[in-house]
Amino acid sequence: MTADVSTSTPVTLLGLGAMGTALARTWLAAGHPLTVWNRTAARTEPLVAEGATAAATAAEAVAASDLVILCLLDDASVDEALKGVDLTGKDLVNLTTTTPAQARERAAWATARGARYLDGGIMAVPPMIGVPEAGGYVFYSGAPDLFETHEKTLAVPAGTRFVGADPGHAALHDVALLSAMYGMIAGATHAFALIREESIDPVAFAPLLTEWITAMAGPHMAQTAEHLKSGDYTADVVSNLGMQTAGVPTFLATAEQQGVSPGLLVPFFNLMHRRLTQGTPEEGLTGVVDLLLR
Ligand code: FVH
């Protein structure tokens, strides 16, 4: 194992979409020799003007560096891009969003081809790349020594968080956090719909939503985690399931009065009711987690 302490570490990057291009610029700015390849070759041109070397084929790009980063649309595009490419001795870091199972299969696939493999899940949008204060980072999982070897190079575009040797765990963390984000957006969507037809300024309403969601998120996440760990779903509960379930008709009636479909909330309310029949009114919402397991 060699420690990656130098900005002279050559990097190959396959995929120059919005995210790949943002990543590429940070390695160039940090002084890394960068070879790029993209299915649509024209996308390499601005980067070549900034100092990158364009490879004519994916095979040529892979041959140029020991460290090969992938940032392609999906798992199928990784298959297509690397079909027939010699990966022997290469360190593959796949930042393409996939399922945990696809990440594990890709790790086995890479190993069978003589490569070492790290999977990554990007928790950032392109404008956050290369902007440390924006707070973006990438989950990594796979061989710990491989992560250590390339940690400094990988930290150039965004922060790094290694989440274990299971190559599926970066993707699992990524999808879990994004799933929570969609739940949050669903709730905000319902809230905006409730005020849509009223003389309430959505621009004034937005910070109220942000403050409330932010205030609720920390304590809720922490308590759910503690409950799941201890198995005691009643510990330190402030707003119990009995009280919250009793409030459901108010939410449904308000939606009805505002002419808003309750469709985004009803599935969760139904789970709360189901849990109430199985658990106790004194517990919080943690029991709903168990109801989702099939
Ligand atoms: N952009 C974002 O906000 C999110 C943030 C979180 C992480 N995602 C994931 O990052 C991967 C790449 O996303 P992207 O934003 O760069 O995506 P696009 O701009 O759509 O570029 C897609 C690139 O993939 C190439 N590509 C597509 N299909 C193939 C294929 N069959 N063979 C080879 N390459 C392929 C495409 O090439 P081209 O269309 O320019 O020829 C682009 O380089 C992604 O997993 C996100 O989920 C981004």
Side-chain angles (χ1 to χ4, degrees), residues 84-103:
V85 173
D86 182 9
L87 301 177
T88 313
K90 299 297 174 182
D91 291 345
L92 283 194
V93 180
N94 187 9
L95 303 182
T96 306
T97 303
T98 68
T99 69
Q102 285 170 332

Side-chain angles (χ1 to χ4, degrees), residues 216-275:
M216 290 298 100
H220 176 79
M221 308 309 169
Q223 184 168 88
T224 304
E226 285 303 324
H227 286 178
L228 291 172
K229 203 162 185 177
S230 68
D232 176 2
Y233 293 179
T234 61
D236 301 320
V237 167
V238 177
S239 305
N240 70 42
L241 182 62
M243 178 281 291
Q244 296 207 54
T245 308
V248 164
T250 302
F251 290 92
L252 297 178
T254 303
E256 176 73 27
Q257 287 158 21
Q258 297 304 108
V260 169
S261 162
L264 290 173
L265 295 184
V266 163
F268 193 75
F269 288 153
N270 288 344
L271 286 166
M272 285 165 58
H273 278 293
R274 238 176 89 201
R275 178 64 197 181

Side-chain angles (χ1 to χ4, degrees), residues 16-19 38-40 43 71-73 77 80 97 122 124 126:
L16 296 176
M19 182 54 80
N38 194 64
R39 180 181 62 176
T40 306
R43 278 181 137 167
C71 188
L72 298 167
L73 186 64
S77 52
E80 202 165 312
T97 303
I122 303 175

Side-chain angles (χ1 to χ4, degrees), residues 167-186:
H169 278 187
L172 184 55
H173 279 72
D174 182 8
V175 174
L177 266 58
L178 291 175
S179 301
M181 177 193 77
Y182 282 117
M184 181 269 292
I185 290 173

